Structures are given as C-alpha cells and as structure tokens.
Amino acid sequence: MRKSLSKEVFNQLFTEARSHHHWTKKPVRDEDLKSLYEIIKYGPTSGNLQPARIVFVRSEEGKRKLYPALEGMGSNLGQVQSAPVTAIIAQDPLFWKEAPRLFPRMDVKGMFENDVAFAESIAYRSSSLTGAYLMIAARGMGLDVCPMSGFHNDIIDETFFKENSWKTNFICTIGYGDDSRLYSRDPRLTFDKACRFE
Ligand SMILES: Cc1cc2nc3c(=O)[nH]c(=O)nc-3n(C[C@H](O)[C@H](O)[C@H](O)COP(=O)(O)O)c2cc1C
C-alpha cells in the first residue's frame, strides 16, 4: 500500500516551487538531464505512445540557434540566454508508427494513420503532459524551471526539426534559479472558483 509523501516533498514540487526567470551560474550536468528523462518516461501517455520528443539545448551553438525564435518576445530572449539549459518539448506527428511495439495488446495504429487531426490532438495532449512531468521531476531533483510559450514555433520547427517534422509544443528553461530575484507570488484561484463536486 502506497502512502502519501511528506509535506516537505509537496512543498518542493508545488507549493514553494516557482517559475524562475533569473538563473545562477551553476551548470546542469548532462547526466542529470539523462536521469530526468529516465524518470519522466514512466509518466502516462495516451496508449503508451509517448509522442513527446525533447531537445535539451545547452551548448553555446545550440542556444544561438534558438535566439531568432525569441526575437520580439520581451524578456524571454534574455531568460533563455542566461539559463544553463532550455528544453524544447516537441511532438512527433508520426508517433503512432511505434504503436505495435509500445501498445501491443491492441491494434491502434490505424486510428492515427487515417486521421491526422486526431493524431495531432493526441500528440499535443500527451506531449504537454510529458512536459509537465519534466517540470515536476526537475523540481524533485532540486532544479528550477520556467515553461514558456512566448516564442515563434515555426522558427524552432524550421531550425531544429526540418528533417523529422517534429512540432514544438513549448520550451522550458532549466537550471538553478536565483531566488533573490523572484517577484512575489501571484494569486491562485480558490477551490470554489476552479473546481466543483458533482
Ligand atoms: C504554458 C506556459 C507558458 C508560459 N509562458 C511564459 C513565457 O513565455 N515567459 C515567461 O517568462 N513565463 C512564462 N510562463 C510562466 C508563468 O508566467 C508562471 O508559471 C506563472 O506566472 C506562475 O508563476 P509561479 O510559478 O512563480 O507562481 C509560462 C507558464 C506556462 C505554464
């Protein structure tokens, strides 16, 4: 029987975790990014089809390739320039090709093969979730993150995914945040506003 994790764990993952916009100089090791993937790959996805694809951009050359996608997007360019890593969370439109191996107990390949819009919606939903698993797992590892949708998708797709037609969902900076530069937490909706029982 599993038991609830400690309050301290939930504080680190949720209630005290912040979206960081400024970064310390502490680097993130490639081994940590590999460990991060080894955790998030177990997060559930539709039909276990794992449509998310992730590029961890951390070299100077890779980062420079990202910058044109952030032009005109306010502080986002500076945030990506200063973050040790920016993850591109993308989705593979042809994710369903692996269906026979990844979901062997049911023949689902045809559902996606013949319906591009349905496949796209499934890929978007599951890759968004994988991105959320990435953020939570990174926080669990003591890292900080900031998800971002303020960028030009088409430029990232053209620059990074020309050969395989992957589509960018969102980007997420990863590193060790500078707590001294956080602004105060914005309000959250109450239970009664955001939820209801039926
Ligand atoms: C899907 C998504 C897109 C976001 N896009 C941006 C962005 O483009 N630039 C940015 O600085 N922060 C971005 N954020 C961060 C949010 O502004 C931040 O999570 C929110 O204000 C809550 O802040 P907190 O986590 O520190 O409480 C984004 C967050 C999400 C989930």
Side-chain angles (χ1 to χ4, degrees):
M1 172 102 165
R2 284 169 288 281
K3 59 179 169 47
S4 180
L5 300 174
S6 70
K7 190 163 187 293
E8 191 189 0
V9 170
F10 287 111
N11 287 348
Q12 180 164 329
L13 297 181
F14 291 98
T15 54
E16 287 174 7
R18 297 295 311 275
S19 300
H20 277 265
H21 306 282
H22 299 95
W23 302 96
T24 66
K25 296 261 176 276
K26 187 173 173 185
V28 178
R29 303 174 314 162
D30 283 1
E31 301 95 274
D32 293 334
L33 298 171
K34 287 181 181 171
S35 302
L36 180 61
Y37 179 72
E38 293 305 317
I39 295 167
I40 67 172
K41 71 181 185 184
Y42 291 107
T45 54
S46 185
N48 191 40
L49 295 178
Q50 302 159 64
R53 304 288 182 264
I54 302 163
V55 181
F56 292 105
V57 182
R58 82 287 188 255
S59 68
E60 276 314 312
E61 192 193 346
K63 285 169 78 168
R64 267 197 300 276
K65 280 164 61 182
L66 266 179
Y67 298 158
L70 293 146
E71 290 295 343
M73 292 291 171
S75 70
N76 287 0
L77 174 60
Q79 294 187 49
V80 167
Q81 282 172 329
S82 62
V85 181
T86 297
I88 305 170
I89 292 95
Q91 60 203 50
D92 180 357
L94 301 180
F95 67 94
W96 44 265
K97 286 198 167 182
E98 288 235 50
R101 182 173 78 84
L102 297 176
F103 199 58
R105 75 197 59 71
M106 218 174 121
D107 182 6
V108 294
K109 196 168 157 216
M111 285 161 58
F112 302 110
E113 198 163 13
N114 304 317
D115 191 339
V116 173
F118 179 62
E120 203 274 338
S121 76
I122 294 289
Y124 184 61
R125 188 172 299 118
S126 284
S127 68
S128 300
L129 287 169
T130 299
Y133 306 145
L134 177 145
M135 290 163 49
I136 296 164
R139 286 170 167 178
M141 292 170 66
L143 290 158
D144 294 300
V145 296
C146 183
M148 287 185 192
S149 47
F151 64 91
H152 302 288
N153 286 57
D154 50 337
I155 298 182
I156 297 194
D157 292 350
E158 176 72 17
T159 310
F160 287 84
F161 305 135
K162 207 169 174 174
E163 279 127 49
N164 49 25
S165 299
W166 296 354
K167 297 276 174 249
T168 308
N169 183 330
F170 71 98
I171 61 175
C172 184
T173 45
I174 305 174
Y176 296 91
D178 180 351
D179 290 342
S180 71
R181 300 192 63 185
L182 283 170
Y183 47 76
S184 57
R185 180 83 104 170
D186 289 327
R188 295 304 204 254
L189 299 181
T190 60
F191 182 93
D192 288 343
K193 179 90 179 170
C195 318
R196 71 178 196 204
F197 294 114
E198 282 244 11

